[in-house]
Amino acid sequence: MAGTQYFPNPGERRDNGMAAAGGRDSRDSMDSTAPLPRVPAGPPAPPPYGVPSGPAGAVPVAPRGPAGPDRQLPRLTPITAAALVAIALVSGLLWWVIRHDSGGSEPEAVAQDPLTSGQFRYEVVAGPENTTDCAANSYGKVEDWFAEHSCDGLSRALYVTETGGQRALVSVVQVTMSTPELAQQLKVITDTDNTGNVNDLVRDGTANIPGAPEVAGGEYDSKVDGGEVTIVEARLFDDSSDRALLSRITEDALRLGGVGG
């Protein structure tokens, strides 16, 4: 029919200025300065997680972090400081009341028993015998020395100790002199052989102990503490000569000076 055009392929049809080549819209060849169609505005995008929303156009403010070293702590008011001081004073007073509620002073330490607190354990078998007449209870050069230098006090006692199946008789004598110098002189005399000594309670017959050895011929030791002289003699009941054991006993028994005196 006249006025009608036929095309072999519908995709090649031209209509209203549309170009068929490549199937592109003829608007691609239009001027790039032509205004683009407006897109309807949608709802605003939500703020990022954790950032508070605000009025449109406002700049989000980052949340405040922990206080840094330059951040100053609040100062105590005079009333608050006074309250803290009062609390400290009350606490101290309560502690003092609790500590002293049982009677006042701290409990004293319990004194150790010298008979059981050393290397050996001792049993008192005679004495103590106390006097102020040292010359009458001595012999040899020691008696002569006491005739010129009287003592202030004399205490004598006998003990028995047992270890490893062996029993020993121990004589402990304590002499009190008026000065440390006289006490040292007495120790020098008694430490010297063949000068005599203070009588033990077996030698002068005061103690009657069956089978008691003569301690005057046994092991010997002495010490000075200020104006006090302690003299110890010991011997085994079986009269054996275990000098190592007896030496340990006499050294340990020096702490018994003045026990019960």
Side-chain angles (χ1 to χ4, degrees), residues 56-149:
V59 179
V61 179
R64 180 175 297 179
D70 295 335
R71 184 181 180 185
Q72 295 183 352
L73 297 176
R75 294 183 178 180
L76 294 177
T77 64
I79 297 178
T80 304
L84 293 177
V85 172
I87 292 173
L89 291 176
V90 172
S91 300
L93 178 61
L94 289 176
W95 175 245
W96 184 89
V97 171
I98 293 173
R99 289 284 303 269
H100 296 77
D101 189 44
S102 59
S105 59
E106 297 288 339
E108 296 182 358
V110 178
Q112 292 184 333
D113 186 355
L115 297 177
T116 60
S117 60
Q119 183 179 0
F120 299 94
R121 300 174 66 91
Y122 302 90
E123 177 187 355
V124 181
V125 293
E129 295 287 335
N130 301 314
T131 183
T132 57
D133 191 351
C134 290
N137 292 278
S138 304
Y139 62 96
K141 294 181 179 180
V142 173
E143 181 182 2
D144 298 338
W145 188 86
F146 276 126
E148 298 180 2
H149 309 87

Side-chain angles (χ1 to χ4, degrees), residues 36-250:
L36 297 177
R38 294 175 60 87
V39 179
Y49 179 75
V51 179
S53 60
V59 179
V61 179
R64 180 175 297 179
D70 295 335
R71 184 181 180 185
Q72 295 183 352
L73 297 176
R75 294 183 178 180
L76 294 177
T77 64
I79 297 178
T80 304
L84 293 177
V85 172
I87 292 173
L89 291 176
V90 172
S91 300
L93 178 61
L94 289 176
W95 175 245
W96 184 89
V97 171
I98 293 173
R99 289 284 303 269
H100 296 77
D101 189 44
S102 59
S105 59
E106 297 288 339
E108 296 182 358
V110 178
Q112 292 184 333
D113 186 355
L115 297 177
T116 60
S117 60
Q119 183 179 0
F120 299 94
R121 300 174 66 91
Y122 302 90
E123 177 187 355
V124 181
V125 293
E129 295 287 335
N130 301 314
T131 183
T132 57
D133 191 351
C134 290
N137 292 278
S138 304
Y139 62 96
K141 294 181 179 180
V142 173
E143 181 182 2
D144 298 338
W145 188 86
F146 276 126
E148 298 180 2
H149 309 87
S150 61
C151 66
D152 291 345
L154 172 64
S155 178
R156 300 178 296 161
L158 287 175
Y159 303 86
V160 169
T161 184
E162 183 172 355
T163 178
Q166 293 182 297
R167 295 175 68 234
L169 184 64
V170 183
S171 169
V172 180
V173 173
Q174 186 175 72
V175 181
T176 303
M177 302 301 299
S178 59
T179 65
E181 291 76 16
L182 289 175
Q184 187 62 47
Q185 290 180 28
L186 175 60
K187 183 180 185 303
V188 172
I189 295 173
T190 58
D191 287 353
T192 305
D193 292 338
N194 302 317
T195 57
N197 205 339
V198 177
N199 284 321
D200 61 80
L201 296 181
V202 172
R203 180 184 174 90
D204 66 5
T206 302
N208 184 14
I209 302 174
E214 295 182 1
V215 292
E219 195 68 20
Y220 169 94
D221 205 345
S222 68
K223 74 171 184 178
V224 173
D225 184 7
E228 295 179 341
V229 183
T230 303
I231 301 169
V232 177
E233 295 174 296
R235 196 161 190 170
L236 295 173
F237 273 84
D238 61 6
D239 206 23
S240 61
S241 58
D242 190 345
R243 296 198 62 182
L245 174 60
L246 289 173
S247 179
R248 290 165 51 206
I249 291 174
T250 54

